[in-house]
Every structure is written in C-alpha cells, then in structure tokens.
Amino acid sequence: MDAQTCILTRRSVRKFTRQPVSRALLEQVVALAAYAPSWKNTQISRYLAIEDPEVRGAIAREFCLPGSNNPAIIQDCPLLVAQTFVKNRCGYERDGTFTTDRADGWQYYDCGIAAQTFCLAAHDLGLATVIMGVFDRRRLEAYLQIPEDQELMALIAVGYPAQEGPAPKRKDVDVLLSWR
C-alpha cells in the first residue's frame, strides 16, 4: 500500500478477532518501526510482546486507571506490546548536558514517532492497533520487570480488526497551517 493510503486508512481499533499474531509478523513490524527517525539516531524505543492472556488480564485488572476503556481493549486483543525507551540518551550531548531547553523531553517525541511508525507498519501488514497511555506506569514497570535503564512509554494493542469505523472528522488545513 502506498504511504498516503496507509495514513488515510489507519484507525485506532479497539475490537479484535481472536486470530493470533505470529511472532514473525510482529518481528516484521518491529523491523520496520526501527526505521523511525530519532534524536541523533539513538533508536531508544524497545518493545515487549505480551501474548499470555493471564498477564494481559492482570494488566487490565490491576494497572489500568479508572475511567478508561483500556481494560476491555487489553483483554480483547490477542497481543499487547509494551513500548519502552532507553533513558538518558535523547536530547543529550556526549558530555551529559542537554542540547536544547527541552532537556530529556525529546525521548517522548521519539517514542511518539516510533509508535506511529509501528502502527503504520502494522496497518500496512494487515494488523490493527491502538496506542494506550492510561495506566499506572510505575507499578506496571515493576510488574513487567522493565529494566532500570528503561521507562514504559505506551501500551499498544495489536491484532486483526473485528470492526473498523470511518475516520473521525479532521480539522481543515486552514486551521492547522499558518504562514509568515
């Protein structure tokens, strides 16, 4: 599929079929996501694939914050991917100082780029995704045994879509773009 079609047809999907996602297919998605641009090519994003329904159930029950529909999504998807990043690399110079006044904020920017690249790659390969961020990060990091040099950024539900809706209304270009 061409890039425009991929961008225009990708949706945040919250309902999945029970069809499992093969490890080979997920590896292909991650290999493509590795091409996401990053600060000085630091490539800080890492991915933890969670297939075990009991682990996904525990995450849904114990670590999702009240008011979100994340528990239902996490229990419904055949595969949950925890996106982490290697800390203290983005936005830094070799001597440990920050390059810009955004300090280490670049790591979040790079994770966003990597997550979107992951989702577009998945969509191109026939998978559906939704990025989730409403969870108790510190407790979930401990439960998942995330290494100390990494931080949990997002959870991405992955699977084959059970339903897809139309694109939500988008703002017009004249609202989004200004010229000087």
Side-chain angles (χ1 to χ4, degrees):
M1 130 179 12
D2 66 86
Q4 285 188 39
T5 300
C6 194
I7 292 166
L8 292 172
T9 61
R10 189 227 163 246
R11 302 284 178 271
S12 290
V13 173
R14 292 167 177 83
K15 300 238 184 255
F16 302 90
T17 69
R18 294 280 171 230
Q19 181 180 351
V21 176
S22 75
R23 289 182 178 205
L25 188 55
L26 182 62
E27 288 171 0
Q28 191 175 359
V29 170
V30 171
L32 290 166
Y35 281 85
S38 62
W39 177 273
K40 296 186 178 184
N41 198 32
T42 50
Q43 302 177 48
I44 61 168
S45 284
R46 302 293 185 269
Y47 306 94
L48 172 63
I50 304 164
E51 295 177 301
D52 187 334
E54 290 184 24
V55 174
R56 290 195 325 272
I59 292 169
R61 286 187 309 277
E62 299 175 33
F63 301 101
C64 291
L65 300 178
S68 75
N69 62 349
N70 290 356
I73 296 167
I74 291 168
Q75 289 180 322
D76 184 54
C77 70
L79 179 64
L80 183 66
V81 174
Q83 180 196 32
T84 68
F85 64 86
V86 178
K87 296 189 270 189
N88 302 321
R89 291 211 185 141
C90 268
Y92 291 88
E93 291 299 317
R94 292 192 187 279
D95 66 3
T97 61
F98 294 119
T99 303
T100 74
D101 67 350
R102 295 198 190 267
D104 65 356
W106 280 105
Q107 61 200 6
Y108 305 118
Y109 189 79
D110 282 0
C111 282
I113 296 169
Q116 178 66 353
T117 303
F118 179 102
C119 292
L120 289 171
H123 177 57
D124 185 53
L125 295 170
L127 295 170
T129 56
V130 64
I131 301 169
M132 299 172 285
V134 184
F135 50 83
D136 186 330
R137 180 181 57 84
R138 287 190 174 92
R139 286 184 52 237
L140 186 51
E141 284 176 342
Y143 176 74
L144 294 174
Q145 300 176 1
I146 302 300
E148 285 189 27
D149 70 333
Q150 294 180 31
E151 183 176 314
L152 179 59
M153 186 69 227
L155 298 174
I156 305 172
V158 181
Y160 293 93
Q163 65 181 41
E164 292 182 57
K169 175 125 176 61
R170 301 296 175 179
K171 291 179 173 37
D172 292 328
V173 171
D174 63 340
V175 173
L176 301 172
L177 176 65
S178 58
W179 297 84
R180 299 272 186 254

